[in-house]
Amino acid sequence: MKTLILGAGYAGLAVATKLKPTPGLEALLVEQNPFHTFETRLHEAAAHNTRVTLPIQPLLRGTGVEFEQASVEGVDIDAREVTLKDGRVLTYDTLVVGLGSVTNFYRIPGLAEHASELKQLSDADEIYGFVNQVYSGDYPGNRDIVVGGAGLTGVELVTELAQRAELLSKARGLPPFRIYLVEAGPKILPILDEALRQKAERVLRDYGIEILVGHRITQATEGSVTVQTADGEQKVIEAGKIIWTGGIQARDIVKGERLEKGPGGRIAVDEFLRAKGYPDVFVVGDMGLALNQEGKPVPTTAQHAGQQGRLTGKNLLRLVRGEELEPYEPTTLGEFVSLGGLMAVGWMKLPWNQKLAITGGIAHVMKKASEWRWRASID
């Protein structure tokens, strides 16, 4: 069974590292980078230049999976062909698509042209370079930063940036830059319950971050954003750096006549994470529209991507052995938000569907523990 695994994000890498040499299974992992990026830690790289990558090749030892560093140009699941950007065409018997998502700018004028993203290592490097530049002592431009989107990524980014600004201000005797967190919705971190959300908001305000909820970005230029409140009031915020973390959409790279897509361009999958109508194509991570036990879309988070990848790896082994596949049953173990340094807030799942709210250093440890579990699962 000739199997292609496209993408080495959380889902794709989990698939590959769950495999083992098996008669009849020939597996190839295709990824444009020679490393796996911990996307959930890119905010650390953006603020502190923290290392957030792992080389892929050593992780594949003992799996029987070959590695090809290449970029995918297109996927035709009717023809069972994967076209690479260098012009080569790969064929398969079974395909795993884990190519992730791209930023959704929601067609806001000027935003895609003038805003930075935080989706890959080069984005983090660019933001880190800007922070160093404004503290060089002779930076002539606007030093302020606007971050659009107050979900997990946006909040974790602004707290790390505020902490970095505080350190550099003390070290170099320069005032910190201003940070604006702009959110169209009525509150930050809608994934958290009210008590945890308020705790997080207090931490952000203590950092001096200006929180603008109920403010929708309507336009962006090279040095400013225009925001509008629910009652129609508009104002312009000048900034030296605009960063957009306000939404994602699945990569529009897979083509098929019978393909079903849902919100955000995610590909509808069955209970085994196979694209509906295509039993030889598994879709995992941000690209797949999997449903939970209540029939609602599974969130596009790293923990769910890892779960999907591990199950798919096991199912590929079952498939080649002629065994029945195991259905996907998602579970959310908890959710933690880093707030800079040793501070975090979040919750963990308890028996009987209960949640335990945790804040402070213990929450920070719990967030780190989830990362350690991920590392252990792919080693």
Side-chain angles (χ1 to χ4, degrees):
M1 186 174 77
K2 186 177 180 182
T3 301
L4 295 180
I5 305 167
L6 307 182
Y10 288 101
L13 189 59
V15 175
T17 53
K18 274 299 170 188
L19 297 181
K20 56 186 177 181
T22 304
L25 178 61
E26 176 188 340
L28 175 67
L29 173 64
V30 181
E31 161 62 39
Q32 64 181 347
N33 298 307
F35 51 80
H36 164 73
T37 301
F38 294 96
E39 287 191 31
T40 56
R41 297 184 59 200
L42 280 172
H43 57 282
E44 297 177 34
H48 308 291
N49 201 29
T50 306
R51 184 184 174 190
V52 294
T53 61
L54 279 177
I56 291 172
Q57 201 75 58
L59 298 173
L60 299 180
R61 290 176 188 152
T63 64
V65 178
E66 298 295 323
F67 176 60
E68 179 79 31
Q69 185 181 343
S71 296
V72 177
E73 179 74 26
V75 181
D76 184 341
I77 57 178
D78 289 324
R80 292 193 177 191
E81 292 181 344
V82 174
T83 303
L84 305 180
K85 287 191 176 179
D86 61 15
R88 287 180 294 155
V89 177
L90 306 179
T91 60
Y92 62 85
D93 299 313
T94 306
L95 178 69
V96 180
V97 183
L99 292 170
S101 57
V102 295
T103 300
N104 189 345
F105 293 99
Y106 298 103
R107 299 182 182 178
I108 298 171
L111 195 60
E113 294 79 9
H114 300 295
S116 297
E117 306 171 49
L118 192 58
K119 288 291 293 174
Q120 54 190 5
L121 188 61
S122 59
D123 300 328
D125 289 342
E126 193 235 331
I127 295 168
Y128 180 76
F130 173 80
V131 173
N132 282 345
Q133 189 179 13
V134 300
Y135 277 100
S136 63
D138 57 357
Y139 181 69
N142 189 303
R143 303 168 72 246
D144 298 338
I145 296 177
V146 169
V147 175
L152 194 70
T153 302
V155 168
E156 291 189 327
L157 176 61
V158 295
T159 53
E160 293 290 347
L161 288 175
Q163 188 181 60
R164 176 70 173 163
E166 188 177 304
L167 291 171
L168 288 175
S169 293
K170 290 178 180 178
R172 302 182 185 180
L174 293 170
F177 45 65
R178 298 182 71 181
I179 301 173
Y180 299 88
L181 181 61
V182 182
E183 168 58 45
K187 57 188 177 184
I188 69 170
L189 295 173
I191 61 169
L192 297 182
D193 64 28
E194 190 63 18
L196 288 174
R197 189 195 63 75
Q198 288 185 8
K199 173 68 173 178
E201 188 169 323
R202 286 195 296 272
V203 172
L204 265 62
R205 295 196 188 280
D206 287 345
Y207 274 124
I209 296 164
E210 187 164 342
I211 302 171
L212 301 175
V213 294
H215 287 67
R216 183 170 58 89
I217 295 178
T218 59
Q219 184 178 350
T221 68
E222 185 176 359
S224 70
V225 295
T226 301
V227 298
Q228 180 175 300
T229 62
D231 58 10
E233 179 187 354
Q234 290 193 353
K235 61 180 176 181
V236 176
I237 303 174
E238 306 288 338
K241 170 65 68 178
I242 302 164
I243 307 169
W244 178 250
T245 67
I248 61 171
Q249 59 188 7
R251 290 186 184 275
D252 185 20
I253 201 168
V254 180
K255 306 300 179 185
E257 288 292 332
R258 304 185 304 279
L259 206 59
E260 297 179 29
K261 292 189 177 181
R266 296 167 72 184
I267 297 171
V269 297
D270 64 15
E271 69 270 30
F272 305 112
L273 301 175
R274 301 175 301 185
K276 291 185 176 180
Y278 294 90
D280 54 346
V281 179
F282 293 85
V283 186
V284 291
D286 289 358
M287 290 191 70
L289 182 60
L291 303 179
N292 63 18
Q293 291 83 346
E294 288 77 42
K296 297 179 180 179
V298 173
T300 53
T301 66
Q303 66 172 306
H304 292 106
Q307 290 172 18
Q308 293 171 18
R310 288 188 290 273
L311 174 67
T312 299
K314 294 175 183 177
N315 274 340
L316 287 173
L317 294 176
R318 291 186 180 98
L319 197 61
V320 78
R321 294 193 295 251
E323 301 171 359
E324 289 191 4
L325 302 186
E326 180 182 330
Y328 174 54
E329 295 183 3
T331 180
T332 302
L333 302 176
E335 195 70 70
F336 289 92
V337 183
S338 172
L339 298 176
L342 301 178
M343 180 64 191
V345 299
W347 60 272
M348 63 178 292
K349 185 178 180 180
L350 295 176
W352 313 111
N353 216 23
Q354 298 297 305
K355 295 180 180 180
L356 176 64
I358 306 174
T359 63
I362 297 177
H364 171 77
V365 171
M366 294 302 296
K367 182 173 176 63
K368 288 297 182 185
S370 66
E371 296 168 4
W372 297 330
R373 284 196 300 270
W374 165 248
R375 283 288 299 267
S377 75
I378 59 175
D379 282 341

